[in-house]
Amino acid sequence: MLRLENVKKHYDGFDLDCSMEVKRGFVTGLIGKNGAGKSTTFKLILGLVGREGGHVEIFQKPVEQMGPKEKERLGVVLSDSGFNGVFTIQDLVPVLKNLYPRFKEEAFLQKCRDFDLPIHKKLKEFSTGMKQKLQVLTAISHEAELLILDEPTAGMDVIAREEILDLLREYVESGERSILISSHISGDLENFCDDIYMIDKGKIILHEDTDILLDNYALLKVTEEQYQKLDKTYILRRKKEAFGYSCLTNQKQFYQENAPQIALEKGSIDEVILMMIKGEEK
Amino acid sequence: MKGLWLKDMKLLKNQKSFLAVIAAISIGFLLSGQNPSSVVSYMMVMCSILVISTIAYDEQNNGLAFLLVLPVSRKQYVREKYALGIGLMLAAIVAGEILSVLVSLIKPSVYEKEGWIVVLLASVLMAVLIQSVTIPIQLKFGAEKSRIAMLVAIGCVALAAYFVVKIADSRHMDVGMGIVQLVQNDRILFVGCGLIVAALLMGVSYAASLQIMKKKQF
């Protein structure tokens, strides 16, 4: 569905060099702290900024060749952009109907009502969360095959976030559609994505299936003495702590079996990110 | 492109008060005995400014980036803005003429058929010039910086016109008289020349806007 190969972008004080892939039927997450390069990656994918190297393919076609026909197959949420605030949802319906031949007017309006979005109110009077909901509902209103969602749950309360994620889960149920989603709320992605890319300072520092990430990754809490004796074959990162070291492993079972005396914490995405970014290589 | 067109129509709907002010001033002009063709000219110039306002609306809060992830190419976006400009010009002519006829029912005015075509063509040229300069500038510099760029551009156009007249003067050519003679001797040639100049201006401006949009980063 989507492939980035050694895509490079340079800004003053920031360099992005990114390779990633979103497969058909997959929900792929892109996670990283603010300024890590998530939005730049999205803009490169959508051809909104030029790149200095590498190539981007959507639907097996270089992004430069992507015309309106291909864009009809995309649903996009941008974190810092959207429809002008002077419009109402009612105003947008004929516009969307004419832009997307497969636009489902009734379903779109019904979903807007379900999510308590006022049809006749100007968008500038919407809260941030409401605007994001509208963008997501727009993205799924025309049977897009690939959703590219940059921080789609930003500004939403926990209930709205869960509702939107449920809606997206339902959307990809058929297995024919894919999603690339970014969020700085790792909990959103933990229970939603099939695989996750972690980005930091413009580089992909980890790519893993979510199940593996949650099942096989763990934090070992070891004293200085335990650390010296520890088999470090499967230690990815370590971090100095008051008690000794925290060590990130991607082979939880190995340490459970071979060092049962060591305190072991199940890895959450937040912990993995923290260790991958802040931790040092062994 | 129809979707973009509809979007701009919705945006213009939000400019109701601006349109009402244009209509009110035009009616005022007509009632005060102004030549109807100069009112049409005024309406055309004002309507040309509306194209720029739709681009400014699109650019608000980085909205242009979002428009371009919809099934719209950069080329289509530029093309639609120029089509809108021409559409608004034609609408201003029709609205101005209708208004003139309606006001003349209340207050009959002398309708100078002789001068009509000259003023109308001059208005078209002026409106085309405004659009040709302002659209690429707005696309290149955005809402904030384009104000300064616009002032510089207007200054350049005024300077260019001044030098054309000066050079003509130094060669003992009267530009105004030349135009009047052309109108009197060969009206078809005059209209043809005017339309060719307008088309050239717009063509160059469209090509520049297209390049600007193709290179635009978001």
Side-chain angles (χ1 to χ4, degrees):
Chain A
M1 279 278 189
L2 168 69
R3 204 156 59 90
L4 278 83
E5 232 177 67
N6 303 112
V7 174
K8 290 182 177 63
K9 179 74 191 167
H10 171 78
Y11 290 116
D12 271 349
F14 178 80
D15 279 295
L16 184 118
D17 186 349
C18 175
S19 295
M20 62 187 297
E21 192 179 4
V22 179
K23 293 179 190 150
R24 183 174 290 277
F26 269 60
V27 177
T28 298
L30 181 63
I31 197 161
K33 58 183 184 176
N34 292 337
K38 301 190 295 289
S39 290
T40 304
T41 307
F42 277 76
K43 285 178 181 176
L44 283 160
I45 291 169
L46 295 162
L48 291 173
V49 291
R51 59 184 188 277
E52 276 93 46
H55 70 266
V56 181
E57 265 181 21
I58 299 184
F59 307 127
Q60 284 150 0
K61 219 172 174 183
V63 69
E64 302 74 43
Q65 290 173 21
M66 194 167 65
K69 278 276 157 224
E70 286 75 27
K71 286 185 185 176
E72 281 171 17
R73 300 162 67 191
L74 289 179
V76 179
V77 171
L78 294 178
S79 61
D80 59 349
S81 170
F83 288 114
N84 191 291
V86 299
F87 291 125
T88 63
I89 291 178
Q90 191 65 58
D91 287 335
L92 292 176
V93 168
V95 176
L96 293 169
K97 216 156 90 177
N98 278 284
L99 286 171
Y100 294 104
R102 291 187 288 176
F103 178 67
K104 300 278 178 278
E105 180 179 348
E106 264 319 302
F108 172 71
L109 286 172
Q110 187 53 49
K111 285 204 173 78
C112 287
R113 284 189 282 268
D114 293 346
F115 279 89
D116 298 323
L117 297 178
I119 309 292
H120 300 288
K121 201 173 178 181
K122 288 196 170 174
L123 305 188
K124 62 183 167 195
E125 291 164 39
F126 280 24
S127 68
T128 313
M130 287 161 86
K131 283 179 193 162
Q132 289 301 99
K133 278 186 205 172
L134 175 63
Q135 280 212 48
V136 174
L137 296 184
T138 307
I140 62 169
S141 65
H142 51 273
E143 296 180 355
E145 291 159 55
L146 174 62
L147 300 183
I148 297 177
L149 313 173
D150 188 12
E151 300 275 0
T153 53
M156 288 183 202
D157 58 64
V158 66
I159 296 167
R161 281 207 323 259
E162 208 36 60
E163 282 174 349
I164 285 290
L165 291 174
D166 279 343
L167 196 68
L168 292 172
R169 275 187 199 104
E170 198 182 303
Y171 191 77
V172 288
E173 232 168 31
S174 67
E176 286 303 304
R177 294 166 173 163
S178 308
I179 299 180
L180 172 65
I181 181 170
S182 82
S183 177
H184 63 275
I185 304 164
S186 57
D188 283 356
L189 303 187
E190 214 166 86
N191 304 309
F192 181 52
C193 296
D194 296 304
D195 61 335
I196 286 176
Y197 285 86
M198 277 182 202
I199 188 167
D200 185 49
K201 293 177 187 156
K203 306 263 184 303
I204 299 292
I205 52 169
L206 183 78
H207 174 221
E208 196 63 90
D209 285 353
T210 315
D211 289 344
I212 294 175
L213 204 63
L214 296 176
D215 292 344
N216 296 3
Y217 281 62
L219 279 184
L220 313 178
K221 307 279 186 182
V222 292
T223 61
E224 190 83 46
E225 193 191 341
Q226 284 175 319
Y227 182 75
Q228 297 309 326
K229 291 180 192 160
L230 187 71
D231 180 346
K232 299 181 187 72
T233 319
Y234 301 110
I235 298 296
L236 301 173
R237 292 282 194 281
R238 66 168 191 189
K239 196 163 129 256
K240 190 87 183 86
E241 306 278 8
F243 55 81
Y245 287 98
S246 283
C247 302
L248 178 72
T249 178
N250 58 353
Q251 294 292 336
K252 183 170 75 179
Q253 209 174 347
F254 174 83
Y255 291 100
Q256 274 174 333
E257 285 167 6
N258 296 301
Q261 73 283 6
I262 287 175
L264 207 138
E265 270 180 21
K266 191 174 172 292
S268 70
I269 290 183
D270 276 336
E271 306 242 36
V272 175
I273 294 176
L274 205 67
M275 284 299 285
M276 289 304 291
I277 294 172
K278 298 274 183 197
E280 50 185 326
E281 287 189 44
K282 50 167 182 171
Chain B
M1 204 157 95
K2 196 177 162 198
L4 281 179
W5 184 268
L6 281 171
K7 169 194 70 69
D8 280 345
M9 289 302 120
K10 301 274 178 197
L11 283 176
L12 291 177
K13 212 177 78 186
N14 276 285
Q15 303 266 51
K16 272 183 289 202
S17 47
F18 183 73
L19 292 168
V21 169
I22 297 175
I25 292 175
S26 303
I27 292 168
F29 278 156
L30 289 167
L31 288 173
S32 68
Q34 284 278 337
N35 189 334
S37 51
S38 59
V39 171
V40 173
S41 163
Y42 163 75
M43 290 182 82
M44 280 175 76
V45 170
M46 295 313 281
C47 284
S48 294
I49 295 168
L50 284 174
V51 185
I52 299 307
S53 81
T54 64
I55 301 177
Y57 269 119
D58 290 343
E59 285 176 339
Q60 263 176 20
N61 306 320
N62 204 21
L64 192 47
F66 186 67
L67 274 182
L68 293 175
V69 299
L70 303 177
V72 169
S73 68
R74 293 179 184 224
K75 190 176 181 178
Q76 279 176 332
Y77 180 81
V78 173
R79 202 182 287 170
E80 190 269 341
K81 288 300 169 197
Y82 282 85
L84 181 70
I86 294 168
L88 282 171
M89 255 193 304
L90 295 175
I93 295 172
V94 173
E97 294 299 332
I98 291 172
L99 217 56
S100 303
V101 171
L102 289 178
V103 172
S104 71
L105 295 176
I106 307 161
K107 187 179 165 45
S109 61
V110 189
Y111 208 76
E112 286 179 51
K113 282 196 174 163
E114 283 298 302
W116 180 81
I117 192 76
V118 180
V119 178
L120 187 67
L121 194 61
S123 311
V124 169
L125 277 174
M126 201 191 300
V128 166
L129 183 66
I130 290 172
Q131 287 179 20
S132 302
V133 173
T134 54
I135 293 176
I137 286 179
Q138 182 78 26
L139 290 173
K140 173 84 182 163
F141 297 102
E144 289 303 314
K145 289 184 199 160
S146 67
R147 287 190 198 119
I148 303 160
M150 218 79 90
L151 283 176
V152 174
I154 290 165
C156 290
V157 171
L159 261 179
Y162 174 78
F163 280 116
V164 167
V165 174
K166 270 279 169 203
I167 291 165
D169 274 352
S170 70
R171 294 185 181 181
H172 307 293
M173 288 160 66
D174 187 334
V175 177
M177 190 50 77
I179 293 172
V180 170
Q181 275 172 358
L182 186 63
V183 174
Q184 282 170 350
N185 297 340
D186 197 338
R187 194 157 294 170
I188 293 170
L189 181 66
F190 168 72
V191 173
C193 285
L195 290 177
I196 287 169
V197 170
L200 273 175
L201 269 173
M202 234 174 202
V204 171
S205 169
Y206 172 76
S209 294
L210 207 56
Q211 284 310 309
I212 290 165
M213 269 308 274
K214 277 183 180 165
K215 288 180 185 160
K216 206 169 172 79
Q217 306 270 306
F218 295 91

PDB file of all heavy atoms in Angstrom, chain A residues 68-91:
ATOM      1  N   PRO A  68      -5.326  13.182  -8.811  1.00  0.00           N
ATOM      2  CA  PRO A  68      -6.604  13.156  -8.099  1.00  0.00           C
ATOM      3  C   PRO A  68      -7.220  11.751  -8.002  1.00  0.00           C
ATOM      4  O   PRO A  68      -7.822  11.410  -6.991  1.00  0.00           O
ATOM      5  CB  PRO A  68      -7.483  14.101  -8.927  1.00  0.00           C
ATOM      6  CG  PRO A  68      -6.514  15.056  -9.545  1.00  0.00           C
ATOM      7  CD  PRO A  68      -5.283  14.256  -9.828  1.00  0.00           C
ATOM      8  N   LYS A  69      -7.056  10.936  -9.039  1.00  0.00           N
ATOM      9  CA  LYS A  69      -7.651   9.587  -9.027  1.00  0.00           C
ATOM     10  C   LYS A  69      -7.089   8.752  -7.882  1.00  0.00           C
ATOM     11  O   LYS A  69      -7.819   8.031  -7.197  1.00  0.00           O
ATOM     12  CB  LYS A  69      -7.369   8.875 -10.365  1.00  0.00           C
ATOM     13  CG  LYS A  69      -8.328   9.257 -11.442  1.00  0.00           C
ATOM     14  CD  LYS A  69      -9.623   8.432 -11.367  1.00  0.00           C
ATOM     15  CE  LYS A  69     -10.750   9.170 -12.047  1.00  0.00           C
ATOM     16  NZ  LYS A  69     -12.006   9.165 -11.326  1.00  0.00           N
ATOM     17  N   GLU A  70      -5.762   8.838  -7.689  1.00  0.00           N
ATOM     18  CA  GLU A  70      -5.136   8.073  -6.596  1.00  0.00           C
ATOM     19  C   GLU A  70      -5.527   8.676  -5.250  1.00  0.00           C
ATOM     20  O   GLU A  70      -5.737   7.956  -4.281  1.00  0.00           O
ATOM     21  CB  GLU A  70      -3.608   8.078  -6.727  1.00  0.00           C
ATOM     22  CG  GLU A  70      -3.064   7.197  -7.834  1.00  0.00           C
ATOM     23  CD  GLU A  70      -3.259   7.769  -9.215  1.00  0.00           C
ATOM     24  OE1 GLU A  70      -3.327   9.016  -9.349  1.00  0.00           O
ATOM     25  OE2 GLU A  70      -3.367   6.980 -10.180  1.00  0.00           O
ATOM     26  N   LYS A  71      -5.637  10.006  -5.229  1.00  0.00           N
ATOM     27  CA  LYS A  71      -5.978  10.668  -3.957  1.00  0.00           C
ATOM     28  C   LYS A  71      -7.389  10.316  -3.498  1.00  0.00           C
ATOM     29  O   LYS A  71      -7.696  10.392  -2.312  1.00  0.00           O
ATOM     30  CB  LYS A  71      -5.827  12.184  -4.101  1.00  0.00           C
ATOM     31  CG  LYS A  71      -4.386  12.663  -4.136  1.00  0.00           C
ATOM     32  CD  LYS A  71      -4.386  14.182  -4.157  1.00  0.00           C
ATOM     33  CE  LYS A  71      -3.005  14.764  -4.317  1.00  0.00           C
ATOM     34  NZ  LYS A  71      -3.048  16.225  -4.439  1.00  0.00           N
ATOM     35  N   GLU A  72      -8.238   9.953  -4.454  1.00  0.00           N
ATOM     36  CA  GLU A  72      -9.594   9.523  -4.075  1.00  0.00           C
ATOM     37  C   GLU A  72      -9.545   8.274  -3.197  1.00  0.00           C
ATOM     38  O   GLU A  72     -10.466   7.999  -2.441  1.00  0.00           O
ATOM     39  CB  GLU A  72     -10.416   9.204  -5.330  1.00  0.00           C
ATOM     40  CG  GLU A  72     -10.957  10.422  -6.038  1.00  0.00           C
ATOM     41  CD  GLU A  72     -11.564  10.074  -7.390  1.00  0.00           C
ATOM     42  OE1 GLU A  72     -11.850   8.871  -7.631  1.00  0.00           O
ATOM     43  OE2 GLU A  72     -11.740  10.997  -8.201  1.00  0.00           O
ATOM     44  N   ARG A  73      -8.451   7.511  -3.345  1.00  0.00           N
ATOM     45  CA  ARG A  73      -8.325   6.256  -2.592  1.00  0.00           C
ATOM     46  C   ARG A  73      -7.672   6.467  -1.228  1.00  0.00           C
ATOM     47  O   ARG A  73      -7.419   5.521  -0.507  1.00  0.00           O
ATOM     48  CB  ARG A  73      -7.516   5.247  -3.412  1.00  0.00           C
ATOM     49  CG  ARG A  73      -8.178   4.923  -4.749  1.00  0.00           C
ATOM     50  CD  ARG A  73      -7.208   4.307  -5.726  1.00  0.00           C
ATOM     51  NE  ARG A  73      -6.760   2.990  -5.304  1.00  0.00           N
ATOM     52  CZ  ARG A  73      -5.748   2.331  -5.868  1.00  0.00           C
ATOM     53  NH1 ARG A  73      -5.086   2.889  -6.868  1.00  0.00           N
ATOM     54  NH2 ARG A  73      -5.389   1.141  -5.429  1.00  0.00           N
ATOM     55  N   LEU A  74      -7.368   7.741  -0.926  1.00  0.00           N
ATOM     56  CA  LEU A  74      -6.736   8.068   0.354  1.00  0.00           C
ATOM     57  C   LEU A  74      -7.707   8.799   1.263  1.00  0.00           C
ATOM     58  O   LEU A  74      -8.528   9.579   0.805  1.00  0.00           O
ATOM     59  CB  LEU A  74      -5.557   9.022   0.130  1.00  0.00           C
ATOM     60  CG  LEU A  74      -4.281   8.544  -0.519  1.00  0.00           C
ATOM     61  CD1 LEU A  74      -3.313   9.716  -0.613  1.00  0.00           C
ATOM     62  CD2 LEU A  74      -3.668   7.413   0.282  1.00  0.00           C
ATOM     63  N   GLY A  75      -7.560   8.580   2.551  1.00  0.00           N
ATOM     64  CA  GLY A  75      -8.267   9.392   3.545  1.00  0.00           C
ATOM     65  C   GLY A  75      -7.205   9.960   4.464  1.00  0.00           C
ATOM     66  O   GLY A  75      -6.359   9.221   4.955  1.00  0.00           O
ATOM     67  N   VAL A  76      -7.221  11.279   4.643  1.00  0.00           N
ATOM     68  CA  VAL A  76      -6.097  11.897   5.355  1.00  0.00           C
ATOM     69  C   VAL A  76      -6.567  12.767   6.519  1.00  0.00           C
ATOM     70  O   VAL A  76      -7.551  13.497   6.407  1.00  0.00           O
ATOM     71  CB  VAL A  76      -5.267  12.767   4.373  1.00  0.00           C
ATOM     72  CG1 VAL A  76      -4.103  13.429   5.090  1.00  0.00           C
ATOM     73  CG2 VAL A  76      -4.755  11.933   3.202  1.00  0.00           C
ATOM     74  N   VAL A  77      -5.849  12.670   7.615  1.00  0.00           N
ATOM     75  CA  VAL A  77      -6.007  13.623   8.718  1.00  0.00           C
ATOM     76  C   VAL A  77      -4.638  14.255   8.931  1.00  0.00           C
ATOM     77  O   VAL A  77      -3.647  13.544   9.098  1.00  0.00           O
ATOM     78  CB  VAL A  77      -6.469  12.920  10.013  1.00  0.00           C
ATOM     79  CG1 VAL A  77      -6.399  13.890  11.196  1.00  0.00           C
ATOM     80  CG2 VAL A  77      -7.883  12.380   9.868  1.00  0.00           C
ATOM     81  N   LEU A  78      -4.584  15.574   8.885  1.00  0.00           N
ATOM     82  CA  LEU A  78      -3.326  16.273   9.173  1.00  0.00           C
ATOM     83  C   LEU A  78      -3.446  16.909  10.554  1.00  0.00           C
ATOM     84  O   LEU A  78      -4.508  17.406  10.923  1.00  0.00           O
ATOM     85  CB  LEU A  78      -3.057  17.347   8.122  1.00  0.00           C
ATOM     86  CG  LEU A  78      -2.790  16.870   6.694  1.00  0.00           C
ATOM     87  CD1 LEU A  78      -2.593  18.063   5.773  1.00  0.00           C
ATOM     88  CD2 LEU A  78      -1.565  15.974   6.637  1.00  0.00           C
ATOM     89  N   SER A  79      -2.328  16.916  11.284  1.00  0.00           N
ATOM     90  CA  SER A  79      -2.414  17.395  12.667  1.00  0.00           C
ATOM     91  C   SER A  79      -2.542  18.914  12.757  1.00  0.00           C
ATOM     92  O   SER A  79      -3.096  19.433  13.708  1.00  0.00           O
ATOM     93  CB  SER A  79      -1.173  16.945  13.446  1.00  0.00           C
ATOM     94  OG  SER A  79      -0.019  17.490  12.841  1.00  0.00           O
ATOM     95  N   ASP A  80      -2.050  19.630  11.748  1.00  0.00           N
ATOM     96  CA  ASP A  80      -2.017  21.084  11.875  1.00  0.00           C
ATOM     97  C   ASP A  80      -2.787  21.787  10.763  1.00  0.00           C
ATOM     98  O   ASP A  80      -2.493  22.907  10.402  1.00  0.00           O
ATOM     99  CB  ASP A  80      -0.556  21.560  11.867  1.00  0.00           C
ATOM    100  CG  ASP A  80       0.173  21.155  10.584  1.00  0.00           C
ATOM    101  OD1 ASP A  80      -0.393  20.334   9.832  1.00  0.00           O
ATOM    102  OD2 ASP A  80       1.279  21.646  10.324  1.00  0.00           O
ATOM    103  N   SER A  81      -3.779  21.118  10.225  1.00  0.00           N
ATOM    104  CA  SER A  81      -4.454  21.687   9.069  1.00  0.00           C
ATOM    105  C   SER A  81      -5.841  21.071   8.925  1.00  0.00           C
ATOM    106  O   SER A  81      -6.093  19.982   9.425  1.00  0.00           O
ATOM    107  CB  SER A  81      -3.592  21.375   7.846  1.00  0.00           C
ATOM    108  OG  SER A  81      -4.253  21.681   6.674  1.00  0.00           O
ATOM    109  N   GLY A  82      -6.720  21.767   8.243  1.00  0.00           N
ATOM    110  CA  GLY A  82      -8.058  21.211   8.033  1.00  0.00           C
ATOM    111  C   GLY A  82      -8.899  22.166   7.216  1.00  0.00           C
ATOM    112  O   GLY A  82      -8.374  23.100   6.614  1.00  0.00           O
ATOM    113  N   PHE A  83     -10.211  21.937   7.215  1.00  0.00           N
ATOM    114  CA  PHE A  83     -11.112  22.811   6.470  1.00  0.00           C
ATOM    115  C   PHE A  83     -11.156  24.189   7.115  1.00  0.00           C
ATOM    116  O   PHE A  83     -10.985  24.324   8.327  1.00  0.00           O
ATOM    117  CB  PHE A  83     -12.522  22.226   6.460  1.00  0.00           C
ATOM    118  CG  PHE A  83     -12.665  21.014   5.599  1.00  0.00           C
ATOM    119  CD1 PHE A  83     -12.945  19.784   6.163  1.00  0.00           C
ATOM    120  CD2 PHE A  83     -12.531  21.104   4.227  1.00  0.00           C
ATOM    121  CE1 PHE A  83     -13.095  18.654   5.367  1.00  0.00           C
ATOM    122  CE2 PHE A  83     -12.672  19.982   3.428  1.00  0.00           C
ATOM    123  CZ  PHE A  83     -12.955  18.762   3.995  1.00  0.00           C
ATOM    124  N   ASN A  84     -11.437  25.201   6.298  1.00  0.00           N
ATOM    125  CA  ASN A  84     -11.536  26.552   6.827  1.00  0.00           C
ATOM    126  C   ASN A  84     -12.692  26.669   7.828  1.00  0.00           C
ATOM    127  O   ASN A  84     -13.751  26.071   7.645  1.00  0.00           O
ATOM    128  CB  ASN A  84     -11.756  27.529   5.661  1.00  0.00           C
ATOM    129  CG  ASN A  84     -11.596  28.954   6.105  1.00  0.00           C
ATOM    130  OD1 ASN A  84     -12.404  29.474   6.843  1.00  0.00           O
ATOM    131  ND2 ASN A  84     -10.526  29.581   5.671  1.00  0.00           N
ATOM    132  N   GLY A  85     -12.453  27.463   8.862  1.00  0.00           N
ATOM    133  CA  GLY A  85     -13.435  27.615   9.941  1.00  0.00           C
ATOM    134  C   GLY A  85     -14.737  28.282   9.540  1.00  0.00           C
ATOM    135  O   GLY A  85     -15.710  28.240  10.294  1.00  0.00           O
ATOM    136  N   VAL A  86     -14.790  28.915   8.365  1.00  0.00           N
ATOM    137  CA  VAL A  86     -16.037  29.596   7.983  1.00  0.00           C
ATOM    138  C   VAL A  86     -17.090  28.604   7.464  1.00  0.00           C
ATOM    139  O   VAL A  86     -18.264  28.942   7.357  1.00  0.00           O
ATOM    140  CB  VAL A  86     -15.823  30.705   6.908  1.00  0.00           C
ATOM    141  CG1 VAL A  86     -14.910  31.779   7.423  1.00  0.00           C
ATOM    142  CG2 VAL A  86     -15.304  30.121   5.615  1.00  0.00           C
ATOM    143  N   PHE A  87     -16.657  27.376   7.180  1.00  0.00           N
ATOM    144  CA  PHE A  87     -17.607  26.389   6.663  1.00  0.00           C
ATOM    145  C   PHE A  87     -18.398  25.732   7.792  1.00  0.00           C
ATOM    146  O   PHE A  87     -17.931  25.649   8.926  1.00  0.00           O
ATOM    147  CB  PHE A  87     -16.871  25.271   5.917  1.00  0.00           C
ATOM    148  CG  PHE A  87     -16.240  25.711   4.634  1.00  0.00           C
ATOM    149  CD1 PHE A  87     -14.892  25.508   4.399  1.00  0.00           C
ATOM    150  CD2 PHE A  87     -16.984  26.321   3.644  1.00  0.00           C
ATOM    151  CE1 PHE A  87     -14.297  25.907   3.222  1.00  0.00           C
ATOM    152  CE2 PHE A  87     -16.405  26.723   2.452  1.00  0.00           C
ATOM    153  CZ  PHE A  87     -15.059  26.520   2.247  1.00  0.00           C
ATOM    154  N   THR A  88     -19.570  25.234   7.423  1.00  0.00           N
ATOM    155  CA  THR A  88     -20.310  24.336   8.309  1.00  0.00           C
ATOM    156  C   THR A  88     -20.199  22.938   7.684  1.00  0.00           C
ATOM    157  O   THR A  88     -19.793  22.821   6.521  1.00  0.00           O
ATOM    158  CB  THR A  88     -21.801  24.717   8.380  1.00  0.00           C
ATOM    159  OG1 THR A  88     -22.358  24.553   7.057  1.00  0.00           O
ATOM    160  CG2 THR A  88     -21.996  26.148   8.833  1.00  0.00           C
ATOM    161  N   ILE A  89     -20.583  21.920   8.431  1.00  0.00           N
ATOM    162  CA  ILE A  89     -20.552  20.559   7.858  1.00  0.00           C
ATOM    163  C   ILE A  89     -21.497  20.510   6.650  1.00  0.00           C
ATOM    164  O   ILE A  89     -21.184  19.909   5.621  1.00  0.00           O
ATOM    165  CB  ILE A  89     -20.939  19.525   8.931  1.00  0.00           C
ATOM    166  CG1 ILE A  89     -19.822  19.458   9.988  1.00  0.00           C
ATOM    167  CG2 ILE A  89     -21.186  18.154   8.304  1.00  0.00           C
ATOM    168  CD1 ILE A  89     -20.084  18.514  11.137  1.00  0.00           C
ATOM    169  N   GLN A  90     -22.629  21.197   6.782  1.00  0.00           N
ATOM    170  CA  GLN A  90     -23.599  21.232   5.677  1.00  0.00           C
ATOM    171  C   GLN A  90     -22.961  21.819   4.412  1.00  0.00           C
ATOM    172  O   GLN A  90     -23.234  21.353   3.301  1.00  0.00           O
ATOM    173  CB  GLN A  90     -24.805  22.072   6.114  1.00  0.00           C
ATOM    174  CG  GLN A  90     -25.994  21.987   5.177  1.00  0.00           C
ATOM    175  CD  GLN A  90     -26.577  20.581   5.142  1.00  0.00           C
ATOM    176  OE1 GLN A  90     -26.969  20.051   6.174  1.00  0.00           O
ATOM    177  NE2 GLN A  90     -26.600  19.977   3.968  1.00  0.00           N
ATOM    178  N   ASP A  91     -22.095  22.821   4.596  1.00  0.00           N
ATOM    179  CA  ASP A  91     -21.398  23.424   3.449  1.00  0.00           C
ATOM    180  C   ASP A  91     -20.459  22.418   2.793  1.00  0.00           C
ATOM    181  O   ASP A  91     -20.250  22.439   1.573  1.00  0.00           O
ATOM    182  CB  ASP A  91     -20.531  24.615   3.906  1.00  0.00           C
ATOM    183  CG  ASP A  91     -21.353  25.832   4.265  1.00  0.00           C
ATOM    184  OD1 ASP A  91     -22.479  25.955   3.756  1.00  0.00           O
ATOM    185  OD2 ASP A  91     -20.875  26.665   5.065  1.00  0.00           O
TER     186      ASP A  91
END
